[in-house]
Amino acid sequence: MARVNEMKGSEPTRRLAHVWDESLCIACGACVMACTMTNQPEMMHRKEKGWDSVASNIRRIDGVNATGKPSVLLVQCQHCDDAPCVANCPFGAVYRDDDGLVRLDAEQCAGCSYCVTSCPYNVRWFHPDSKLPMKCMGEGCLDLVAQGESPACVQACPAMARDFGDLNDPASSVSLTLRTKRSRRLLEGSGTEPKYFVVEGGL
Amino acid sequence: MTPADLTFQLDVAHWGWSIAAFLFFVGIAGMGSVAYAFVRRTAVIATIFVSLVVGLLLVVSHLGRWWNLPRTLFLMVRDLELNFGSWMLIGITVLGIHLVLALVALVAHLPFLTQRLPWLAWTERVDASKAFLGAFAFVGFFATVYSGFLITQAVGIPLWNNPLIPVLWVISGSIAAIAVLELLYVVGAVDAKVSTFGVRLGMALDGMKLLAVLGFLHVAASYGSAGARYGATLMTSGDLAWMTWAMVVGVGILVPLAIGAYTVLREKNKALLTVSALSALVGVFFLRATVLLAGTFEPLVL
């Protein structure tokens, strides 16, 4: 836990972010399943009751777009620079680490669910066994990133619709994508400064 | 937009009836502490103390990892990670202080205890001081205000991001405290003049509560985001409308108002006062419950 505590007080040196290109996504669900498989394999055959869907840190929202065609939106923790869950956690269990990722220190979590009601993106779910508020990134993906690999969702995507990298690095693939393609952030008006970018296609 | 497009906070965060009851008892204890500054009776402080204990037990039992709470608090203090930007931590602190002050006042009202344990006699002196009564009233008032801001700061639930909630909680908490005083009058635990004053004050507060409830719904329905508008619709004409109109407004406001008017204009009747007080308490509880249950997350796809 010392490693966690050391990271708690420090200012982020990187700003790791997720990019999802909706124009490339084929809605196959591979990222959703890879997330569960990597981070909470014990939930592979159990449902997340609140969302009435698979227990994954990626939530799939099906809808209909303005032209009447079916659409899909994949939502996960936005690792907000100004995260309400960090601000509201009474016990200091939710924090931002050196990489700018919003993390949970399970030792200091009492399960009050204030982080759940504080998240405008509705991306947290309660693990039925540990009673911890789960979200991206899970321990499995954090291990992958620590080893210099991409998170499971990025690795699993067959359409190359997902990317992950450092916004502070102008040469990173995510920085390049965001410079060259039109993108948006979800609920930008909420003031949370999310770091999850939805790429809409070409310039 | 249909309910299928929305996630109710109840399904994910589970802030339901037990949290409504917690907010209800905090309101009674909080505004009861303000009343205690004027009505220093054993039954009043006992009610405040019991309400606080019950409220705290409810909220702790709601914790998903309640067994980890002592460790969490220990680590928080040891590492000095005190996030006073969180209304929940402010609330834990205020409720802790409130509980200690209530215990001091309660002990002062237990002569069999202070006589057997003379070292507790200081509680009687403290309880008689205006400074203590003022501090107790302030902490109680602040605890009630906290229970409102606890909700408004949950930014994931747009219906709750409404500044009228703390105002509503204070008004309805005051109504609950007066209702408790009326019930204590009925059983002979407080004086008739307290009841007479309570009936008149309660009527004024009922009027204010009605305005505040309507104002809350109007602001949410007219100026709120999609999630707030949907919550307001649920409360006014949806599945929760019966709670709003029948329990909050009908039972909780109109019945006490009618009985209050009868009491002021005609005569005081203990049976009617009992009905009025119980109705008011039911309304205060359902107000909290309906606001909680109507909370949904903002839809990300319209």
Side-chain angles (χ1 to χ4, degrees):
Chain A
M1 287 328 293
R3 183 170 152 264
V4 168
N5 287 327
E6 279 167 19
M7 287 189 290
K8 269 189 173 178
S10 56
E11 274 298 303
T13 51
R14 296 198 294 175
R15 291 178 68 227
L16 296 181
H18 283 269
V19 169
W20 171 60
D21 191 331
E22 66 178 355
S23 69
L24 294 176
C25 181
I26 56 173
C28 64
C31 57
V32 177
M33 297 314 295
C35 173
T36 303
M37 190 76 174
T38 305
N39 296 300
Q40 48 272 335
E42 73 282 3
M43 296 300 294
M44 279 300 284
H45 301 287
R46 295 162 75 181
K47 212 172 192 180
E48 204 298 294
K49 291 178 182 170
W51 297 338
D52 193 26
S53 65
V54 63
S56 173
N57 298 333
I58 302 172
R59 189 162 63 96
R60 173 179 169 148
I61 305 173
D62 290 291
V64 178
N65 67 18
T67 61
K69 292 179 179 173
S71 68
V72 68
L73 179 66
L74 298 177
V75 189
Q76 60 200 66
C77 175
Q78 317 277 306
H79 298 287
C80 305
D81 281 340
D82 195 5
C85 55
V86 175
N88 278 352
C89 177
F91 308 116
V94 184
Y95 66 100
R96 218 152 48 100
D97 72 7
D98 285 342
D99 290 329
L101 297 173
V102 175
R103 304 265 300 265
L104 176 74
D105 182 352
E107 267 199 341
Q108 287 187 239
C109 178
C112 67
S113 68
Y114 209 18
C115 56
V116 180
T117 56
S118 297
C119 177
Y121 302 97
N122 179 22
V123 293
R124 287 182 185 267
W125 58 279
F126 269 105
H127 195 290
D129 302 332
S130 68
K131 309 294 183 189
L132 286 170
M134 311 296 285
K135 68 165 195 69
C136 170
M137 298 171 71
E139 290 299 322
C141 283
L142 286 169
D143 288 343
L144 289 172
V145 172
Q147 292 162 21
E149 295 182 43
S150 294
C153 57
V154 178
Q155 293 190 36
C157 181
M160 311 292 278
R162 285 184 165 272
D163 200 2
F164 179 76
D166 184 8
L167 294 177
N168 283 350
D169 177 5
S172 69
S173 57
V174 292
S175 295
L176 187 65
T177 300
L178 296 176
R179 273 204 307 275
T180 56
K181 292 185 176 178
R182 190 172 64 233
S183 66
R184 70 178 191 276
R185 297 187 293 181
L186 302 174
L187 299 179
E188 208 150 7
S190 65
T192 59
E193 296 299 324
K195 294 203 299 289
Y196 178 77
F197 297 85
V198 179
V199 174
E200 297 172 333
L203 284 170
Chain B
M1 189 167 55
T2 68
D5 301 322
L6 293 160
T7 302
F8 285 84
Q9 65 79 20
L10 185 65
D11 293 331
V12 185
H14 313 297
W15 286 24
W17 294 101
S18 60
I19 295 296
F22 158 68
L23 298 172
F24 172 74
F25 283 112
V26 166
I28 290 178
M31 297 314 292
S33 300
V34 177
Y36 180 72
F38 306 98
V39 190
R40 283 182 54 233
R41 298 288 187 276
T42 304
V44 176
I45 189 61
T47 305
I48 292 169
F49 185 77
V50 170
S51 295
L52 256 179
V53 170
V54 172
L56 287 170
L57 286 175
L58 280 166
V59 78
V60 169
S61 72
H62 178 265
L63 294 174
R65 293 162 57 84
W66 55 266
W67 63 86
N68 202 34
L69 184 62
R71 179 184 173 80
T72 297
L73 293 173
F74 169 75
L75 290 174
M76 188 175 70
V77 173
R78 187 197 68 182
D79 299 338
L80 288 177
E81 286 184 356
L82 303 170
N83 179 17
F84 281 111
S86 166
W87 272 96
M88 194 175 279
L89 182 61
I90 293 172
I92 291 168
T93 309
V94 170
L95 290 177
I97 295 170
H98 196 193
L99 186 66
V100 170
L101 295 182
L103 183 61
V104 168
L106 180 65
V107 170
H109 281 268
L110 302 175
F112 67 90
L113 201 62
T114 49
Q115 284 165 11
R116 287 183 186 178
L117 302 170
W119 58 273
L120 287 174
W122 63 272
T123 58
E124 293 172 352
R125 292 192 300 276
V126 167
D127 181 60
S129 74
K130 287 183 178 175
F132 174 82
L133 293 176
F136 191 42
F138 175 78
V139 170
F141 176 79
F142 194 67
T144 311
V145 171
Y146 137 75
S147 69
F149 279 113
L150 175 75
I151 305 295
T152 61
Q153 294 309 108
V155 296
I157 316 298
L159 176 70
W160 299 349
N161 308 150
N162 190 316
L164 279 171
I165 288 182
V167 177
L168 257 177
W169 269 208
V170 168
I171 295 172
S172 55
S174 304
I175 289 171
I178 289 171
V180 167
L181 290 178
E182 295 296 346
L183 290 175
L184 293 178
Y185 159 72
V186 169
V187 298
V190 301
D191 307 333
K193 64 179 182 182
V194 171
S195 167
T196 304
F197 178 70
V199 167
R200 293 171 188 272
L201 180 60
M203 287 178 68
L205 288 169
D206 283 332
M208 288 169 64
K209 183 182 166 191
L210 183 58
L211 277 177
V213 168
L214 296 177
F216 168 77
L217 292 171
H218 172 66
V219 168
S222 303
Y223 309 109
S225 65
R229 289 200 302 275
Y230 187 78
T233 305
L234 269 180
M235 290 179 69
T236 52
S237 56
D239 290 347
L240 301 175
W242 69 274
M243 286 171 66
T244 307
W245 301 123
M247 306 310 285
V248 177
V249 175
V251 174
I253 297 176
L254 298 182
V255 169
L257 264 179
I259 293 175
Y262 178 83
T263 304
V264 170
L265 297 173
R266 302 291 292 271
E267 60 172 342
K268 187 183 279 188
N269 179 309
K270 284 192 173 183
L272 281 177
L273 277 182
T274 304
V275 172
S276 171
L278 291 176
S279 297
L281 289 171
V282 166
V284 171
F285 175 73
F286 271 90
L287 172 65
R288 282 148 175 77
T290 186
V291 169
L292 287 181
L293 298 180
T296 71
F297 288 90
E298 189 69 11
L300 295 174
V301 177
L302 293 177

